[in-house]
Amino acid sequence: MLGFKEEEFLTQTRSALALQEQIEQFVDSIQERGFENLFLVGAGGTYAAMLPYEHFIRSQSTLTVRAAIGKELMLTADPTFGPGSIAVFASVSGTTEDIIEAIDFAKAKGAYTVGFTGFGDSPFAKALDVVMVTEPKTWPFDIPLLLLSTRLLAARGEFDGYEEFAAELQTIPETLVDVARQAEPAAEAFAERNKDVDYHFLVGAGNLWGFTYLYSMCILEEMQWLRTTRVHGAEFFHGSLELIEEDTSLMLFLGEDESRPLMERVVKFAENYNKNTTLLDTKDYELAGISPRFRGLLAPLVLDTVVDRISKHLERVRNHSLDLRRYYRVVEY
């Protein structure tokens, strides 16, 4: 597979799974100390990565939860954010300035902070009350966020089957390698078909809305300098559909949660009015060892593996490195 470092991928994914005991101990500790609400705080990709878990907790629990952009949280008053808050952060590099500032802000407000990173001696790690460390450069953070959110709801009596889910999750590193292999031919075909396309239209919903936002902004725009539109599946029919032409590159992200009918409606529209639709559907992938009732939770993790294959092939056909930046961490702003 193009640019796929299997052993590194397995090592990183397994290191995320290895946080299970620490996550369970953390949940027990905050249950004991008491808290009122949960803030999932990020910037860019880490903000987008929090959205599926805000969606999950909102749909299952009476716990007040908010996914927040760190910079906005610092500037916009939220009277619920303070000593009764648990604030969750993540940083791949451990050096994201917006996030480190948000951690300091959260602690000044009296919130209890926890975060995930691959660098235990980083400024990010040192700023937190509790830090959990994976192998360096581990991405995405879906596994620890899944374990945290399901264990937290289980402790509140709002999620059944946590032990079963956590046990089944142990097989996911190898399963995702199989997903990558299956996705490779379609990813290569997508890149070849769209190598000269400079505009892509992405639609997702439910726990894939945050993922849609992330792939649009943090990969296609940041890493490939491609113009995109990203829109929620429910909002697609309230204006954005007017941009669709026959040859528009339309990428539709379908999961297996309760929001799927929103995306099926978009698929039906695309079948009638578009000839360059790419369906990225988790139902197309066998997830060995994962019970049907848990499959929907894994949609962001599965499709992240799929689109990584697309990204690598776009990098090749466009001769545009995924590491190339003009502005991000290059100039002052």
Side-chain angles (χ1 to χ4, degrees):
M1 290 182 284
L2 180 67
F4 188 79
K5 300 176 181 178
E6 182 172 334
E7 288 306 313
E8 182 178 290
F9 177 87
L10 288 170
T11 298
Q12 290 175 343
T13 310
R14 289 166 181 159
S15 76
L17 284 170
L19 296 178
Q20 180 181 340
E21 184 176 352
Q22 293 178 59
I23 289 170
E24 291 173 353
Q25 290 173 352
F26 173 75
V27 170
D28 290 343
S29 72
I30 61 173
Q31 286 289 101
E32 184 176 344
R33 68 183 283 147
F35 66 101
E36 298 172 3
N37 52 48
L38 183 70
F39 280 72
L40 308 173
V41 186
T46 53
Y47 164 67
M50 297 294 186
L51 290 172
Y53 306 99
E54 179 196 48
H55 174 84
F56 168 67
I57 294 170
R58 280 185 184 277
S59 68
Q60 302 289 321
S61 177
T62 59
L63 175 65
T64 300
V65 59
R66 174 187 170 189
I69 299 170
K71 279 288 192 182
E72 183 179 51
L73 181 64
M74 293 168 62
L75 295 172
T76 306
D78 187 329
T80 69
F81 188 60
S85 303
I86 304 296
V88 182
F89 302 86
S91 175
V92 175
S93 67
T95 61
T96 311
E97 291 183 2
D98 285 9
I99 294 300
I100 296 167
E101 291 178 9
I103 295 170
D104 292 340
F105 173 80
K107 292 176 73 173
K109 285 288 187 179
Y112 192 56
T113 62
V114 60
F116 305 100
T117 185
F119 296 92
D121 61 349
S122 64
F124 170 87
K126 293 175 181 177
L128 293 160
D129 293 307
V130 178
V131 61
M132 302 189 200
V133 183
T134 63
E135 282 290 311
K137 299 183 180 180
T138 296
W139 175 269
F141 290 105
D142 290 275
I143 289 174
L145 290 170
L146 271 168
L147 288 168
L148 176 63
S149 56
T150 53
R151 179 64 172 80
L152 179 58
L153 266 57
R156 293 169 54 87
E158 296 171 327
F159 179 75
D160 293 327
Y162 169 78
E163 297 295 340
E164 180 185 351
F165 174 65
E168 291 183 6
L169 204 57
Q170 298 303 309
T171 66
I172 204 66
E174 294 77 14
T175 298
L176 291 177
V177 171
D178 291 338
V179 168
R181 287 198 185 100
Q182 182 181 334
E184 185 77 358
E188 182 177 8
F190 174 90
E192 293 291 348
R193 185 172 68 252
N194 292 286
K195 62 184 177 182
D196 297 320
V197 170
D198 66 357
Y199 172 66
H200 299 268
F201 197 109
L202 291 78
V203 189
N207 68 350
L208 285 175
W209 165 239
F211 175 81
T212 305
Y213 176 86
L214 189 155
Y215 193 62
S216 171
M217 183 176 72
C218 300
I219 309 300
L220 296 181
E221 292 182 350
E222 178 185 329
M223 299 185 181
Q224 286 293 290
W225 303 354
L226 289 166
R227 295 172 178 83
T228 72
T229 293
R230 47 191 172 267
V231 64
H232 192 284
E235 292 293 281
F236 176 80
F237 294 98
H238 294 275
S240 295
L241 77 171
E242 292 296 337
L243 292 177
I244 303 302
E245 299 179 359
E246 278 195 352
D247 62 348
T248 303
S249 172
L250 184 56
M251 303 178 74
L252 307 183
F253 298 93
L254 282 79
E256 298 171 61
D257 68 0
E258 65 281 358
S259 70
R260 187 177 175 91
L262 298 175
M263 289 306 300
E264 290 175 335
R265 186 183 179 205
V266 180
V267 171
K268 184 177 179 181
F269 174 89
E271 289 172 345
N272 290 324
Y273 299 105
N274 182 258
K275 294 182 178 179
N276 190 17
T277 300
T278 302
L279 296 181
L280 297 115
D281 190 343
T282 61
K283 278 191 173 182
D284 292 338
Y285 296 90
E286 180 184 359
L287 305 180
I290 303 296
S291 301
R293 68 183 176 126
F294 297 137
R295 284 181 57 99
L297 290 173
L298 300 180
L301 187 58
V302 171
L303 288 193
D304 184 87
T305 305
V306 172
V307 299
D308 178 72
R309 301 290 79 226
I310 291 176
S311 302
K312 289 296 195 298
H313 282 283
L314 283 175
E315 177 182 51
R316 173 184 58 84
V317 300
R318 301 186 69 248
N319 192 30
H320 185 116
S321 170
L322 291 163
D323 297 321
L324 181 63
R325 305 289 187 277
R326 282 182 294 195
Y327 308 116
Y328 183 62
R329 298 200 179 201
V330 175
V331 302
E332 293 292 330
Y333 44 80

